[in-house]
């Protein structure tokens, strides 16, 4: 079997970044080096620069396919295989072939070329990668039907990102270098939004970075390379959830910063059964700090902490590993062996290990804690077993005693000690061991019925009993401790999950927290109380006093009615309390903002109204007054022409005054949220046509391109008509002569967009938000423009119908106002209802 061809893919964030151009430029370079290069298929999309790049390169004839009366041109796979060039240039890897082709997808054609030993250079956009399809749809709102499997793309010899800054790409669209002029408006407003392009660019770069990491790990695995390659500094910080975590994170961040562009990763190791439980509040706080420092957080599972840490550090190609000094004391370390730090240093190899001291590091001679985990009931049961089982066993052994039975008697008492240890733990087992040793010496070792230790073996036996009791008790205590920890961890996890679920589902956050707190801690009642009233409550207090009262700040308290909580319960309760305090603070801030906003809005409107009354209303009022005064003073001496001119001036001024007062009233209603709106499913064309008629705009004044395909929106037709009139007036006012205003409609991401574009002077980016401010006019010098309320009112009207009004640059210069409204189902006709 011959050599498989190599695949090189030029990956772009969006159409128009220059992938095809770069592919053709590479083809010219390789042709100049004497390589046999042909264009198997290239899509120029009418771009003159791309078309010019095809000149001078051999081009394979395309294959024509007729489908449903339409002739489609596809790559001639058989012709390419017969021609067998060294390198084939294949554009648009994700393309779907016409029906009747050998393969459904073009990438499958490329597979055949590669199998034939032909090298292929191809192009692909990030939205066509199969694993990213859903992510891209969330970003752009456009589903992609043409995709390339990740498994195929990862087999490529080279994947290179053809990068172009989002604004530069939009400039290329505006200049007409990507799409024809008639498609530019829709492209800029839909797929090629600045936010979309930025997100897609980040996605492409992240995908390539991830692919580089995969390739590096695969190479090291294939070549058996276990050492760290310091391509860049990666600092892994081990977190236990203890108080030293914040210190370790900051130290790790400083180490990464000193290397210039280093990466910091925090990792917490948990056991397979979830019994190694850290303080969830501390761990959450440390995770937040990791993200604030620009790092990432990972949680791995492993019983052997040192091995898990070193294995994870190697998997991410870490160069530094930061651990905290042990919190154990010297005596505890002597009894339990070397700590995690010493083991990590021994196993780390070429990874640098930093042991960081901290205030929580262990004391010099602190003992390990030996607190039992068994319940009092089990301890009592163990003591009772020792008290009753000892005499019963003694009676049984005495009745069967002979000269050779001493071994059986010793093992029987040892079995009793083990049973008591399994039931009651350490102290009952020690009691049973001592009692068994004394009983054995008293009844079964000569001289009988005396307690004497004449031989060292007797003392050794007693000591062995005690050692067996201690060892078994430690195992039993550890098992009980882990079982309780597991149950508690599950309960805490369920509580936190239930609280989060209640809040995310839209429930009242305070009430959800109160209900879950009462259930989790088995309380009779739980109450959140302010200084004046009960905010939330669960259960019945029965008039009793609370057993525990916790301060929530700002005079609020959490009252718990029921038994006193254990220390372990209070740890989780502190998390719940902090959550309640945060929710209360959020509610207080929201209430304060709601109270202040109407006052601030009223002040703004009041100041603007005073300014308008003193400036803009004075002009039409003065003109009307002067005209009426001239008519009254001149009387019959005034000529008919002058009289008519004065009457027209008075009429125009009073009409302008009426319009200004109407706009002022509408603005006041919008600010006070008193505007009454009645919406119903409507075709937006039903508002566009009346607006054009009102302004008496004909085909020479407006270019129509309605392409919303009968989609309906929920609107108040009268309000949308007023918005269109305002926006069209602005567009017509700034458009140069013989340059009609363009009114276009389209659908995008379940919304209908109405685009009104002019080719005037446009608006600078820093001024685009200011044009919607009431009483602002472009230039602020033309008094004929009125109060500057048109766009402010238009934006308010559109937002009251759950839409948006945004300004964009018109390709070639000018301003495009985009009205975006949510799409709704069209109303059902009576005929449809009857059927």
């Amino acid at each position: 079997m011959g050599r498989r061809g190599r695949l090189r893919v030029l990956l772009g964030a969006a159409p128009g970044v220059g992938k095809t151009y770069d592919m053709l430029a590479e083809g010219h370079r390789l042709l100049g080096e004497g390589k046999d290069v042909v264009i198997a298929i290239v899509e120029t999309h009418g771009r003159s620069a791309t078309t010019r790049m095809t000149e001078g390169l051999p081009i394979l004839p395309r294959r024509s396919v007729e489908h449903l009366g339409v002739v489609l041109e596809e790559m001639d796979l058989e012709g390419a295989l017969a021609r067998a060039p060294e390198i084939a240039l294949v554009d648009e890897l994700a393309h779907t072939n016409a029906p009747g082709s050998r393969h459904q997808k073009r990438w499958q054609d490329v597979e055949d070329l590669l199998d034939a030993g032909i090298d292929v250079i191809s192009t692909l956009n990030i939205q066509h990668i199969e694993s990213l399809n859903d992510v891209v749809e969330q970003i752009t709102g456009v589903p992609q039907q043409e995709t390339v499997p990740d498994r195929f793309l990862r087999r490529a010899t080279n994947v290179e990102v053809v990068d172009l800054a989002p604004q530069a790409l939009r400039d290329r669209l505006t200049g007409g270098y990507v799409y024809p002029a008639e498609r530019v408006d829709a492209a800029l407003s839909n797929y090629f939004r600045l936010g979309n392009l930025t997100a897609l660019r980040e996605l492409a770069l992240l995908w390539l970075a991830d692919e580089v990491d995969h390739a590096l790990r695969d190479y090291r695995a294939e070549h058996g390379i276990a050492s760290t390659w310091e391509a860049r500094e990666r600092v892994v910080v081990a977190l236990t959830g203890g108080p030293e975590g914040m210190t370790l994170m900051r130290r790790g961040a400083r180490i990464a910063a000193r290397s210039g562009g280093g990466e910091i990763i925090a990792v917490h190791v948990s056991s397979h059964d979830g019994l190694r439980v850290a303080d969830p509040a501390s761990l959450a706080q440390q995770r937040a700090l990791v993200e604030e420092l620009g790092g990432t957080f990972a949680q791995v599972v492993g019983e052997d902490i040192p091995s898990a840490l070193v294995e994870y550090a190697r998997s991410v190609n870490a160069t530094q590993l930061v651990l905290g000094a042990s919190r154990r004391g010297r005596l505890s370390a002597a009894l339990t062996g070397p700590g995690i730090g010493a083991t990590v240093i021994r196993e780390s190899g070429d990874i640098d290990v930093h042991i960081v001291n901290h205030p929580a590091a262990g004391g010099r001679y602190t003992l390990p804690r030996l607190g039992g985990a068994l319940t009092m009931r089990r301890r009592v049961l163990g003591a009772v077993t020792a008290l009753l089982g000892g005499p019963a066993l003694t009676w049984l052994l005495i009745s069967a005693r002979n000269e050779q039975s001493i071994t059986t008697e010793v093992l029987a008492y040892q079995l009793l000690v083990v049973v008591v240890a399994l039931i009651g733990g350490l102290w009952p087992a020690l009691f049973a061991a001592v009692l068994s040793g004394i009983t054995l010496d008293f009844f079964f070792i000569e001289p009988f019925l005396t307690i004497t230790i004449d031989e060292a073996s007797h003392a050794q036996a007693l000591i062995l009993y005690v050692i067996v009791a201690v060892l078994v008790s430690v195992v039993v205590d550890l098992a009980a401790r882990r079982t309780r920890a597991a149950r508690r961890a599950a309960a805490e996890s369920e509580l936190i999950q239930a609280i989060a679920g209640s809040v995310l589902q839209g429930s009242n956050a305070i009430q959800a927290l109160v209900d879950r707190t009462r259930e989790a801690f088995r309380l009779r009642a739980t109450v959140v109380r302010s200084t004046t009233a009960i905010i939330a409550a669960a259960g019945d207090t029965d008039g009793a006093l609370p057993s525990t009262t916790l301060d929530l700040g700002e005079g609020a308290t959490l009252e718990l009615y029921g038994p006193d909580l254990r220390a372990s319960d209070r740890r989780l309760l502190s998390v719940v309390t902090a959550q309640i305090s945060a929710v209360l603070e959020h509610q207080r801030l929201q209430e304060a903002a709601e109270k202040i906003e109407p006052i601030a809005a009223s002040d703004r409107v009041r100041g603007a109204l005073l300014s308008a009354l003193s400036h803009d209303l004075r002009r039409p009022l003065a003109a009307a007054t002067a005209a009426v005064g001239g008519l009254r003073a001149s009387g019959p001496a005034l000529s008919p022409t002058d009289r008519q001119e004065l009457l027209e001036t008075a009429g125009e001024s009073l009409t302008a005054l009426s319009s200004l007062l109407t706009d002022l009233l509408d603005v006041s209603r919008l600010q006070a949220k008193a505007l009454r709106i009645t919406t119903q499913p409507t075709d937006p064309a039903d508002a566009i046509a009346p607006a054009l008629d009102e302004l008496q705009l004909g085909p020479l004044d407006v270019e129509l391109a309605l392409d919303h395909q009968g989609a309906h929106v929920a609107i108040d037709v009268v309000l949308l008509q007023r918005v269109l009139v305002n926006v069209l007036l602005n567009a017509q006012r700034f458009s140069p002569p013989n340059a009609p205003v363009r009114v276009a409609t389209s659908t995008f991401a379940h919304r209908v967009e109405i685009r009104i574009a002019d080719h005037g002077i446009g608006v600078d980016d820093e001024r685009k938000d200011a044009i919607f401010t009431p009483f602002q006019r472009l230039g602020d010098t033309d008094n004929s423009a009125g109060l500057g309320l048109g766009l402010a009112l238009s934006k308010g009207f559109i937002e009251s119908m759950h839409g948006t009004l945004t300004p964009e640059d018109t390709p070639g210069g000018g301003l495009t106002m985009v009205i975006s409204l949510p799409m709704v189902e069209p109303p059902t006709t009576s005929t449809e209802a009857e059927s």
Side-chain angles (χ1 to χ4, degrees):
M1 186 174 180
R3 178 188 75 90
R4 177 178 168 85
R6 293 176 296 179
L7 174 63
R8 178 179 173 187
V9 178
L10 303 180
L11 180 67
V17 297
K19 303 180 302 299
T20 304
Y21 188 94
D22 285 3
M23 179 185 71
L24 295 172
E26 181 66 7
H28 279 286
R29 186 187 70 80
L30 293 171
L31 187 66
E33 292 179 358
K35 303 290 185 181
D36 182 14
V37 183
V38 299
I39 297 177
I41 184 97
V42 67
E43 305 291 351
T44 64
H45 298 290
R47 299 165 191 166
S48 57
T50 305
T51 302
R52 287 194 299 270
M53 286 299 294
T54 62
E55 298 173 0
L57 288 172
I59 302 176
L60 290 178
R62 299 192 182 193
R63 180 174 59 90
S64 297
V65 179
E66 184 175 350
H67 178 64
L68 299 178
V70 178
V71 177
L72 304 175
E73 291 188 340
E74 297 289 354
M75 181 179 75
D76 185 1
L77 177 59
E78 285 73 14
L81 292 173
R83 170 68 169 75
E86 288 184 70
I87 302 168
L89 307 182
V90 181
D91 204 9
E92 296 187 359
L93 190 60
H95 173 76
T96 300
N97 292 328
S101 302
R102 180 193 291 191
H103 298 298
Q104 182 182 5
K105 299 289 186 179
R106 185 169 290 169
W107 66 265
Q108 295 171 315
D109 295 340
V110 170
E111 186 83 60
D112 285 357
L113 295 176
L114 296 173
D115 289 340
I118 301 172
D119 294 343
V120 176
I121 303 177
S122 189
T123 63
L124 183 70
N125 285 325
I126 191 69
Q127 70 265 25
H128 297 302
I129 298 179
E130 191 172 76
S131 63
L132 301 178
N133 191 275
D134 293 342
V135 179
V136 173
E137 183 176 355
Q138 292 175 3
I139 294 172
T140 64
V142 179
Q144 297 294 332
Q145 304 299 327
E146 297 181 330
T147 59
V148 174
D150 290 60
R151 67 180 185 278
F152 174 79
L153 194 57
R154 292 190 186 280
R155 292 172 59 192
T157 307
N158 290 305
V159 178
E160 306 170 17
V161 170
V162 178
D163 190 30
L164 186 66
Q167 189 55 54
L169 177 55
R170 286 175 59 86
D171 292 342
R172 291 189 65 185
L173 265 86
T174 302
Y177 298 112
V178 180
Y179 291 133
E182 62 272 12
R183 294 180 56 191
V184 170
D185 286 349
L188 286 172
S189 63
N190 297 341
Y191 196 89
F192 289 84
R193 298 171 189 262
L194 190 60
N196 289 359
L197 295 176
T198 302
L200 292 173
R201 184 191 190 197
E202 181 183 18
L203 196 61
L205 295 174
L206 287 174
W207 190 92
L208 184 63
D210 182 63
E211 179 63 19
V212 170
D213 275 347
H214 274 292
L216 181 59
R217 284 197 294 269
D218 292 345
Y219 180 84
R220 294 175 62 202
E222 290 172 3
H223 292 78
I225 301 172
S227 60
T228 300
W229 285 7
E230 300 184 11
R232 58 173 168 170
E233 203 77 39
R234 276 200 177 116
V235 182
V236 172
V237 180
L239 299 180
T240 65
E244 74 281 1
M246 309 297 273
T247 301
L248 298 183
M249 281 306 310
R250 293 189 176 94
R251 177 61 63 85
R254 290 197 295 271
I255 294 173
R258 283 199 297 268
S259 65
E263 181 181 355
I264 183 169
I265 306 172
V267 60
H268 172 69
V269 180
S270 59
S271 61
H272 289 282
D273 51 12
L275 299 177
R276 190 179 297 119
V277 181
D279 182 352
S282 298
L283 203 58
Q285 187 179 12
Q286 291 165 18
R287 182 169 188 165
L289 178 60
V290 173
E291 296 172 353
E292 182 181 336
L293 293 172
T296 57
F297 179 88
Q299 187 158 346
V300 298
V301 177
E303 284 300 321
D304 186 355
I305 297 178
S307 298
L309 283 175
V310 174
E311 182 180 350
Y312 177 78
R314 292 194 185 283
S315 71
V316 298
N317 204 28
T319 58
Q320 313 273 347
L321 187 54
V322 178
L323 297 88
S326 175
R327 294 197 295 266
R328 304 178 307 156
R330 294 182 182 178
L331 185 55
S332 177
L335 294 175
T336 57
I340 293 174
T343 308
V344 168
I345 292 173
R346 187 173 63 251
E347 298 181 1
S348 62
D350 56 353
I351 300 177
D352 296 338
V353 180
H354 302 263
I355 303 295
V356 179
N357 200 11
H358 52 87
R364 298 181 62 187
Y365 298 106
T366 55
L367 284 169
R369 292 184 293 177
L370 295 176
L374 297 178
T375 62
M376 182 58 67
R377 180 179 178 181
R378 286 189 61 176
R379 294 177 185 175
V380 171
L381 183 60
V384 170
T385 302
L387 287 172
L388 299 180
L393 180 62
T394 301
W395 174 81
L396 180 63
L397 292 175
I398 289 175
S399 62
R401 183 173 57 185
N402 55 52
E403 294 181 357
Q404 288 79 30
S405 62
I406 185 64
T407 303
T408 303
E409 293 155 357
V410 170
L411 292 177
Y413 279 110
Q414 190 172 21
L415 177 62
L416 176 65
V417 172
V418 173
V419 171
V420 172
L422 290 172
I423 296 174
L426 180 62
W427 297 112
L430 289 176
F431 171 70
V434 174
L435 182 62
S436 298
I438 294 174
T439 302
L440 187 64
D441 185 70
F442 189 78
F443 288 104
F444 299 98
I445 297 177
E446 296 180 356
F448 299 126
L449 303 180
T450 59
I451 300 176
T452 57
I453 301 178
D454 294 334
E455 298 181 13
S457 60
H458 297 171
Q460 293 171 1
L462 181 60
I463 293 173
L464 288 175
Y465 278 164
V466 173
I467 292 175
V468 169
V470 170
L471 292 178
V472 176
S473 300
V474 168
V475 172
V476 172
D477 186 78
L478 181 61
R481 187 186 305 276
R482 289 194 170 188
T483 300
R484 291 179 61 189
R487 291 174 180 170
R488 179 162 188 86
E492 291 181 358
S493 176
E494 184 179 356
L495 172 62
I496 295 174
Q497 181 181 3
I499 291 173
S502 299
V503 174
L504 290 175
Q505 291 169 6
S507 305
N508 182 289
I510 298 292
Q511 189 62 49
L513 289 165
V514 168
D515 291 338
R516 297 302 180 183
T517 301
R518 175 175 172 269
E519 294 172 4
F521 300 113
R522 298 181 177 87
L523 299 170
R524 188 171 68 254
T526 307
V527 178
V528 175
R529 190 189 304 271
S530 68
T531 55
T532 57
I534 293 177
I535 300 174
D540 190 359
T541 63
D542 293 330
L545 295 176
S547 57
T548 304
T549 302
L550 301 172
D551 182 28
L552 300 175
E554 300 291 334
T557 57
L558 173 63
E559 298 176 353
L560 308 179
Y561 295 83
D564 291 334
L565 299 179
R566 295 170 294 181
S568 57
D569 291 332
R570 291 182 179 274
R571 178 175 61 85
L572 181 59
L573 184 62
S574 65
V575 178
V576 178
T577 304
Q579 183 70 16
I580 296 176
S581 299
V583 175
L584 287 174
E585 180 66 19
H586 176 74
Q587 289 182 352
R588 283 192 289 266
L589 292 174
Q590 189 173 11
E591 291 172 0
E594 290 175 354
K595 292 178 181 178
I596 293 173
E597 178 55 29
I599 299 174
S602 297
D603 287 342
R604 290 194 298 269
V605 172
R606 186 181 299 110
L609 286 172
L610 290 174
S611 174
L613 289 171
S614 64
H615 181 265
D616 293 272
L617 294 182
R618 182 182 302 171
R619 180 181 53 79
L621 186 61
T625 303
V628 173
L631 288 171
R632 181 183 302 165
S634 301
L638 197 63
S639 68
T641 302
D642 292 339
R643 181 183 298 275
Q644 182 63 29
E645 185 176 342
L646 288 174
L647 287 172
E648 289 177 356
T649 300
E652 291 174 357
S653 299
L654 292 174
T655 300
L657 185 61
S658 176
S659 177
L660 292 174
L661 290 174
T662 300
D663 285 346
L664 286 171
L665 182 59
D666 284 340
V667 167
S668 301
R669 287 174 176 172
L670 277 175
Q671 296 285 353
K673 299 181 180 180
L675 185 67
R676 302 182 64 179
I677 297 175
T678 303
T679 62
Q680 58 183 359
T682 308
D683 188 326
D686 294 344
I688 294 174
L692 296 177
D693 290 340
E694 180 178 339
L695 296 175
Q696 298 180 350
L697 298 177
L700 297 179
D701 304 308
V702 175
E703 177 187 348
L704 287 178
L706 305 185
D707 190 26
H708 57 283
Q709 301 172 355
H712 282 56
V713 291
I715 57 171
D716 184 313
V717 179
V718 175
L719 288 185
L720 181 58
Q721 181 179 335
R722 288 194 62 190
V723 170
L724 292 171
V725 168
N726 283 331
V727 176
L728 282 167
L729 275 174
N730 274 340
Q732 189 181 29
R733 177 185 174 208
F734 290 104
S735 288
N738 302 321
V741 175
R742 177 180 172 85
V743 179
T745 61
S746 61
T747 58
F748 175 71
H750 305 293
R751 299 180 74 86
V752 174
E753 293 187 341
I754 305 172
R755 304 174 60 82
I756 301 173
D758 65 60
H759 295 279
I761 59 175
V763 178
D764 296 336
D765 290 340
E766 58 271 14
R767 291 270 304 168
K768 285 178 179 174
D769 290 335
I771 64 176
F772 296 109
T773 304
F775 312 104
Q776 295 291 322
R777 291 186 299 268
L778 185 62
D780 203 28
T781 57
D782 184 2
N783 288 340
S784 66
L787 293 175
L789 293 176
L791 290 180
L793 281 171
S794 299
K795 187 177 181 65
F797 290 159
I798 292 298
E799 290 179 349
S800 66
M801 293 182 284
H802 307 288
T804 59
L805 176 61
T806 54
E808 295 180 356
D809 293 330
T810 301
L815 182 68
T816 298
M817 301 299 293
V818 183
I819 300 170
S820 177
L821 295 163
M823 192 185 303
V824 297
E825 292 295 328
T828 303
T829 63
S830 57
T831 303
E832 292 173 342
E834 292 172 2
S835 61

